[in-house]
Amino acid sequence: MSLTRSGEGTGPTTGERGRNGPDTTGSTTAALVAAVLGFFVITLDVSGVNVALPAVGDDLGGSLSGLQWVADSYTLMFAALMLSAGALSDAVGARRAYGWGLAVFTLASLACGVAPTLGALTAARVVQGSAAAVMVPTSLALIRQAYPDAQARARGIALWTVGGAVAIAAGPLLGGLLTTEWSWRAVFFLNVPAGLAGFLILLRAAPSPRHPAVFDPPGQLTAVVTLAALTFAVIEGGHDGLTGTVLAAAGIAVLAGAGFVAVEARRRTPMLPLELFRRRGVSVPVVAGFACNAAFYGGVFVLSLFFQEQRGQSAFSAGLMFVPMAVITAHFNYFSPRAVARYGPRAVIVAGLLVGTAGCCGLAAVGAGTPWWLIALPMVPLGIGGSLAMPALTSLMLDNVAAERAGTAAALLNTSRQTGGALSIAVFGALLAGDFMPGMRESLLLAAALLAGNALGAALLLPRR
């Protein structure tokens, strides 16, 4: 099945048809549905796998660091390759690039489900994360092209973020149910029919225009080496201490990071134009997006282990603990653009980050014997915080770049977010490796401090409207 139609990249975009007359083909809706479904599946995979990790360890063996790599191999490649994926979206067209990513993600999910060893599962997760890196920026670029009007685009982005927020909150419930009633492998098999459905819907979307884009192999290589070495140093250092190998990895991360900045500053057509960071409407979403994902991904990772290993709950029972957060999160994601229209992005972003801070602080106070409802209660503001802030941050980011840079901008924002998720799992896992409960409290207080610091930064740097 091919995603190429006659005239790919040469005909009018969906948005252009929307200006000249009604879109009778339903391609705008198809683009939005395909984008939301893909983002939902990608995010569901992350949160569903977290709650299945103890079962994976029981079945395939492996230490806590090995299970961290199952989670982080996905988010690491997700983050490291997303900037190149943005260039791919601009170069070949968002629709075609999204279709490629969706096909590879579906096949990699099947490989995860049949993996015979922990190493094979980790390798398949690397491929999954690489495909997800292509899908996320191209899904946002599809929405950006389908909705040229800013208000309509904000509603489309809100639905997109609803899909991701519901998935990350409901994933533990579904993952727990599948793990308890069948096997952890079912968490991955679920992606196969969803991927096929998304591909069929995508065929009805309008072809995407192509824009000039130059790939940046030196920048991509240094980005991958930086994130991989840093993640390795944090995960292995947390378990083995400051060994020679860990220190070498940390040194490689520093050198590769400096190399990345040097390469991007000197290239005529860099993968990541550094001048983007001069705009507060870009730099604030990038840093705050890192904080939101660090708190949310890290929190779900820690709580999933806490429920099962410290409270003795089943995977399904642990998943049920996330239900209140899932329900509330979906509502506030859709409410966010309305609040932005009324109060401006600054107020909504700051409010979301502060609410998330309160949730992390509340969770830091719980113990293994705390009643379930007193644990579920502070999980709700953690979900509300991200669901308020992320739609506003995403809209702010896209509103501050030209349409032809939509893929690159989306890639930059989501690279930052996924890096936050990968590093939080690495850091929080290292803190848990000693004494679990003190490590859990330190992790959640660290997340709270990160969110609070970004709330202050957004309040000072963004205009009032």
Side-chain angles (χ1 to χ4, degrees):
M1 220 180 275
S2 172
L3 280 173
T4 305
R5 291 178 178 174
S6 176
E8 176 89 47
T10 60
T13 65
T14 305
E16 289 169 342
R17 285 197 308 276
R19 286 192 297 268
N20 298 327
D23 178 11
T24 59
T25 66
S27 60
T28 298
T29 301
L32 177 60
V33 172
V36 172
L37 179 60
F39 189 48
F40 176 86
V41 171
I42 288 170
T43 314
L44 185 73
D45 190 82
V46 176
S47 55
V49 169
N50 276 335
V51 80
L53 285 178
V56 172
D58 291 340
D59 188 16
L60 301 181
S63 62
L64 176 60
S65 64
L67 296 180
Q68 283 178 266
W69 277 114
V70 171
D72 260 351
S73 58
Y74 178 91
T75 50
L76 176 63
M77 298 309 294
F78 202 163
L81 297 179
M82 207 175 301
L83 288 172
S84 286
L88 177 67
S89 171
D90 293 337
V92 306
R95 178 176 173 267
R96 180 180 295 170
Y98 185 79
W100 290 349
L102 184 59
V104 174
F105 183 88
T106 303
L107 292 173
S109 297
L110 183 61
C112 288
V114 300
T117 64
L118 196 65
L121 175 59
T122 302
R125 291 280 284 167
V126 168
V127 179
Q128 257 196 323
S130 302
V134 174
M135 292 173 64
V136 169
T138 50
S139 67
L140 274 175
L142 280 173
I143 295 173
R144 177 67 176 83
Q145 294 162 12
Y147 297 94
D149 176 73
Q151 289 188 347
R153 182 168 63 248
R155 290 192 293 270
I157 291 172
L159 289 173
W160 182 84
T161 54
V162 164
V166 171
I168 200 169
L173 173 63
L174 187 56
L177 176 63
L178 292 173
T179 300
T180 301
E181 297 300 322
W182 186 12
S183 167
W184 60 266
R185 300 179 185 275
V187 177
F188 296 107
F189 289 144
L190 181 66
N191 296 337
V192 177
L196 292 174
F199 196 91
L200 293 175
I201 294 170
L202 186 64
L203 291 173
R204 298 191 59 196
S208 300
R210 303 181 188 183
H211 302 289
V214 178
F215 292 94
D216 181 4
Q220 182 61 83
L221 177 61
T222 51
V224 172
V225 172
T226 299
L227 291 178
L230 180 59
T231 303
F232 178 89
V234 174
I235 290 178
E236 300 303 324
H239 294 274
D240 300 332
L242 296 179
T243 64
T245 303
V246 169
L247 291 174
I252 291 171
V254 172
L255 291 175
F260 175 79
V261 173
V263 166
E264 298 307 286
R266 294 177 182 176
R267 284 184 68 90
R268 180 177 299 178
T269 53
M271 177 175 67
L272 176 57
L274 297 181
E275 64 268 16
L276 287 176
F277 291 101
R278 297 172 185 167
R279 307 175 191 175
R280 294 181 180 181
V282 171
S283 58
V284 169
V286 167
V287 178
F290 178 98
C292 286
N293 263 39
F296 211 117
Y297 276 80
V300 170
F301 173 77
V302 169
L303 291 172
S304 296
L305 294 175
F306 167 68
F307 293 142
Q308 296 179 71
E309 296 186 1
Q310 300 298 308
R311 291 175 60 87
Q313 296 179 235
S314 67
F316 177 58
S317 175
L320 284 174
M321 297 291 292
F322 291 88
V323 170
M325 181 172 69
V327 174
I328 298 297
T329 294
H331 172 75
F332 275 87
N333 263 276
Y334 202 68
F335 169 77
S336 178
R338 300 180 185 179
V340 169
R342 182 169 182 178
Y343 303 108
R346 174 180 176 271
V348 176
I349 291 168
V350 171
L353 292 171
L354 290 178
V355 171
T357 301
C360 288
C361 290
L363 287 169
V366 306
T370 303
W372 70 268
W373 61 272
L374 279 178
I375 301 174
L377 197 61
M379 291 170 65
V380 172
L382 176 59
I384 290 175
S387 62
L388 268 179
M390 277 316 306
L393 289 167
T394 305
S395 294
L396 178 65
M397 180 83 167
L398 293 182
D399 287 345
N400 275 272
V401 297
E404 61 270 17
R405 279 292 189 183
T408 300
L412 173 59
L413 176 59
N414 284 285
T415 294
S416 175
R417 294 180 60 193
Q418 295 306 319
T419 300
L423 290 182
S424 68
I425 290 174
V427 172
F428 293 1
L431 293 173
L432 297 177
D435 194 344
F436 189 97
M437 290 308 301
M440 173 177 163
R441 293 189 184 96
E442 291 170 3
S443 299
L444 291 167
L445 290 176
L446 180 59
L450 191 58
L451 291 174
N454 274 271
L456 177 61
L460 294 176
L461 294 175
L462 294 178
R464 290 188 177 275
R465 289 295 300 181

